Amino acid sequence: MLKIAHHTFQSKLLLGTGKFPSFEVQKQAVEVSGTEILTFAVRRMNIFEESQPNFLEQLDLTKYKLLPNTAGAKTAEEAVRIAKLAKASGLCDMIKVEVIGCNKSLLPDPVETLKASEMLLAEGFIVLPYTSDDVVLAKRLEQLGVHAIMPGASPIGSGKGLINPLNLQFIIEQSSVPVIVDAGIGSPKDAAYAMELGANGVLLNTAVSGAKDPVKMALAMKLAIEAGHLGYEAGRITEKNYGEASSPTTGMVTS
Amino acid sequence: MLKIAHHTFQSKLLLGTGKFPSFEVQKQAVEVSGTEILTFAVRRMNIFEESQPNFLEQLDLTKYKLLPNTAGAKTAEEAVRIAKLAKASGLCDMIKVEVIGCNKSLLPDPVETLKASEMLLAEGFIVLPYTSDDVVLAKRLEQLGVHAIMPGASPIGSGKGLINPLNLQFIIEQSSVPVIVDAGIGSPKDAAYAMELGANGVLLNTAVSGAKDPVKMALAMKLAIEAGHLGYEAGRITEKNYGEASSPTTGMVTS
Amino acid sequence: MLKIAHHTFQSKLLLGTGKFPSFEVQKQAVEVSGTEILTFAVRRMNIFEESQPNFLEQLDLTKYKLLPNTAGAKTAEEAVRIAKLAKASGLCDMIKVEVIGCNKSLLPDPVETLKASEMLLAEGFIVLPYTSDDVVLAKRLEQLGVHAIMPGASPIGSGKGLINPLNLQFIIEQSSVPVIVDAGIGSPKDAAYAMELGANGVLLNTAVSGAKDPVKMALAMKLAIEAGHLGYEAGRITEKNYGEASSPTTGMVTS
Amino acid sequence: MLKIAHHTFQSKLLLGTGKFPSFEVQKQAVEVSGTEILTFAVRRMNIFEESQPNFLEQLDLTKYKLLPNTAGAKTAEEAVRIAKLAKASGLCDMIKVEVIGCNKSLLPDPVETLKASEMLLAEGFIVLPYTSDDVVLAKRLEQLGVHAIMPGASPIGSGKGLINPLNLQFIIEQSSVPVIVDAGIGSPKDAAYAMELGANGVLLNTAVSGAKDPVKMALAMKLAIEAGHLGYEAGRITEKNYGEASSPTTGMVTS
């Protein structure tokens, strides 16, 4: 169970809603994934433009919590403004803080992320910052009182998976709030890996929406997250350099 | 569906039976894993010693196919002798050829493996050789007529996962018989990865039997294999070095 | 040539002075390494205690610049205090800002590192902050006016080498001040790799002082850094998945 | 010192002669690299066609030993025929056995490589087989009596470096003849890594000839190989997951 502030979720998969080939495919992928949290860029939603098609309209909002993000913000102030827009819609009380500090790598700005998180906490938001895998930065965010930490596995949309599992593990071990690995997941093995390290959830978008068959990939991710979480709980074997027979050497058949 | 010679299986997980903490745990893990193929070292089974406890007796052999292996063999002749012992039990027509050529790394001997496979094919066995990830060796084995190729991901019992995914991918791409990744799997992410590369199955033992909770790990592996297979079919995104936003940049909220 | 503020150096190796088995071994390693910059923890130096042995006394300070670090500091204020102690000795005008934010991983605190760097710049120091590989944090530090950026390759003393070469490459590409890869180097290949990515220098300590033969390792590192730098300048080949013959296929010998 | 049969060499770098942009660049790269062993595909050399330009003519053959290879051979018999052609030139007594078994990956054929090696040993050649990193295959080749083992780091020309350092280490540890890592080296760090594992030499071609500046890369490789070899002899530190300060915590400066 994933618990963020007063919300509880059975699913550990947070699904982004960008770049699906069609609303229909998106809808099916969402359903198949079992997700209970949908994320989207506020700037991209026509929340206030009723004349335009809107994915949110297609959803049964009793089944999903919305996690709008502040993508597009380059400063804390912009992030706060976007967050307030989202809240004003009455659709959500959670906000993913996303303040990008580098247009090339799309990596987050630690200073503005800290500042935006602090401001939004003061405004009473449930705050989930997207952050780099900087271990002490994650601790700082937690000390501010954020409700979950969302470190990136690798650059947004890169599909490179977990480049630095050691840092993610440090973040997970030190955190008393949920850690949701966000960004960079490319395939089911990556989602499983994040969960095996003890993450509380995984946020995905491009890995599903950009797959050849997004609906099938949504199911693959659902299973991978369950597999990884069970693997974490089950306690994996230690790595060794040298082989070790799975069969005892006593009791051998003799000729 | 995994098809080996005339056998067909729904499950893509082949489970080894060594080193479980107890018969009871083993039995539960087997059931939970959904496996339809159980592997075991012939030398370790008291097939012909009725006075001793025997895991096979506990099994409903209408539900599982047995895949005995020739572990302990250092030459083709020994492997053939062990295979014949197994067949004489009347319990199985498949044999996993396992001829270890290095006591330290437990890596297989390519020459004896080729020779044993050839001899066993001539005797009418269904032959599944455990082999290194040598790409041309795998092709050679296939040319002999083996019924599946079982390349190792890393040394037996090491839990190091897929050290050389490139070689595994070459083997999978060139093979017209099933490729079952065998040995070295440490955690669910590894099993998922093998399947994402297009493997037809994964053979596991220590990763499950050596986990703190083998039954839970068996379930994790079952799900990971399904996830990886679905991920393969769904067609993953390409890796990129640079970030790419999942949200289109048009239609932004303007202040 | 490495240029930091008004200092110029032929060597690209910065050598730490901690944990050598003896002053004599340290002295030889320093000489063999060709380094021109020696780093040390101010807290560890008996700069003001003339009665005690002091490595610095053994050095010809016309040959080496000193780069004291603020190890032991947990806040910007402590770092500034330590830096001032170092400057008061009259031995140095550079300071490596090191503010650790996690006792377990020894990873740096981004907030206090930024703050300490800003304070020290205001005091006229030549400031070289040790930082994580957070890409935007590195940019922020550069914007403050620091004289070099020192991202860690992996945790101090871990010897794990470059865990995230992608982030290091982003930092190097965006920087107009020197980037010196610091912490985590384990062996010559790691030092070469950092330089191949385009780093301007490498800071080492444990990899040399903790080697079985520190003097020989010092020479190995010197050569590795030259090799990596030349490799960067020479422009390496692109990686491919598939083999490509180094011999043209025309003009073949015919039978 | 590298010792192959009765030959001894100061340099541990074996340089291939394919695909250089010009004879002049090749000549300079060869000189700068310090190599004493030049490899080339017999099929590509106009050994017997005096009317055509020939790189070998440009060389001072008192300074270099030639290591012709059997590239182009797909069977042991073809390899033997090519080797005899090379020997008939009177220019060399060593032969690199290269029997490719897969046109896509250019990976070697273990069966034909074993057979060719055996045949050439019987003919009195000094035999250096290019092989995969199959550990037991390497042992088999050694048992035949070959004079050096040449495992690939990754596919020829791929520049992917050491994909499976574990297998290379097993091969190095078990071998009583020189191990020369061959194929796949992309940059100096890779050459250093091979030597750090204890390899006796490295064979390179595309990494140098395909670099933007082949002459500079030749020097980089020379230094990297020295660095890696010294690093091996110096005894590197053990990897740890957690940080460890290079400065003792006693004797701290107190306020």
Side-chain angles (χ1 to χ4, degrees), chain B residues 81-97:
Chain B
R81 185 173 57 77
I82 294 171
K84 287 184 177 173
L85 268 177
K87 202 176 197 177
S89 72
L91 297 172
C92 41
D93 58 0
M94 299 192 291
I95 187 77
K96 171 176 158 185
V97 175

Side-chain angles (χ1 to χ4, degrees), chain C residues 18-19 41-44 81 85 104-106 155-160 186-189 192-193 196 205-207 210-213 216-217 219-220 223-224 226-227 230-231 233-248 251-253 255, chain D residues 18-19 41-44 81 85 104-106 155-160 186-189 192-193 196 205-207 210-213 216-217 219-220 223-224 226-227 230-231 233-248 251-253 255:
Chain C
K19 285 192 173 173
V42 173
R43 63 171 184 181
R44 195 172 53 86
R81 185 174 58 77
L85 266 178
K104 194 172 176 186
S105 63
L106 299 182
I156 294 175
S158 71
K160 293 191 89 74
S187 71
K189 73 178 190 310
Y193 196 4
E196 284 178 30
N205 189 336
T206 311
K212 289 221 178 63
D213 183 338
K216 190 172 272 188
M217 190 58 92
L219 179 57
L223 295 173
E226 290 174 20
L230 284 166
E233 289 189 340
R236 65 157 286 161
I237 55 171
T238 307
E239 284 189 30
K240 301 188 196 87
N241 273 351
Y242 292 105
E244 189 167 296
S246 49
S247 313
M252 290 178 60
V253 169
S255 51
Chain D
K19 288 190 172 174
V42 172
R43 63 172 186 181
R44 193 170 55 84
R81 186 174 56 76
L85 267 177
K104 191 172 179 188
S105 64
L106 299 183
I156 293 175
S158 71
K160 293 190 90 72
S187 71
K189 72 177 191 311
Y193 196 4
E196 283 178 30
N205 189 339
T206 311
K212 291 221 175 62
D213 182 339
K216 191 172 271 189
M217 190 58 92
L219 179 56
L223 295 174
E226 290 174 19
L230 284 167
E233 289 188 340
R236 66 157 288 160
I237 55 171
T238 307
E239 284 188 31
K240 302 188 196 82
N241 273 353
Y242 293 104
E244 190 166 296
S246 49
S247 313
M252 291 176 62
V253 170
S255 52

Side-chain angles (χ1 to χ4, degrees), chain C residues 20 22-33 55 58-60 64 215:
Chain C
F20 279 86
S22 71
F23 277 161
E24 183 51 34
V25 167
Q26 185 178 34
K27 197 179 164 188
Q28 286 179 40
V30 166
E31 280 169 12
V32 157
S33 75
F55 171 59
Q58 324 249 338
L59 291 174
D60 175 356
Y64 305 103
V215 179

Side-chain angles (χ1 to χ4, degrees), chain D residues 98-246:
Chain D
E98 182 172 333
V99 189
I100 299 303
C102 171
N103 286 333
K104 191 172 179 188
S105 64
L106 299 183
L107 290 166
D109 185 322
V111 174
E112 297 300 314
T113 300
L114 274 167
K115 198 169 148 193
S117 296
E118 190 163 21
M119 290 165 77
L120 288 165
L121 287 166
E123 299 266 357
F125 281 82
I126 298 175
V127 177
L128 298 84
Y130 162 59
T131 176
S132 74
D133 62 7
D134 185 300
V135 175
V136 182
L137 179 60
K139 191 191 279 184
R140 289 280 187 164
L141 286 164
E142 186 183 348
Q143 286 165 347
L144 285 181
V146 300
H147 299 84
I149 306 280
M150 305 185 78
S154 49
I156 293 175
S158 71
K160 293 190 90 72
L162 280 64
I163 296 183
N164 192 334
L166 188 65
N167 270 10
L168 293 177
Q169 200 175 337
F170 282 137
I171 291 173
I172 289 165
E173 286 174 6
Q174 81 187 358
S175 288
S176 57
V177 295
V179 175
I180 296 164
V181 173
D182 180 8
I185 299 297
S187 71
K189 72 177 191 311
D190 303 330
Y193 196 4
M195 296 305 295
E196 283 178 30
L197 293 175
N200 302 89
V202 172
L203 192 154
L204 296 170
N205 189 339
T206 311
V208 166
S209 64
K212 291 221 175 62
D213 182 339
V215 179
K216 191 172 271 189
M217 190 58 92
L219 179 56
M221 290 297 185
K222 171 192 157 89
L223 295 174
I225 287 170
E226 290 174 19
H229 178 63
L230 284 167
Y232 171 68
E233 289 188 340
R236 66 157 288 160
I237 55 171
T238 307
E239 284 188 31
K240 302 188 196 82
N241 273 353
Y242 293 104
E244 190 166 296
S246 49

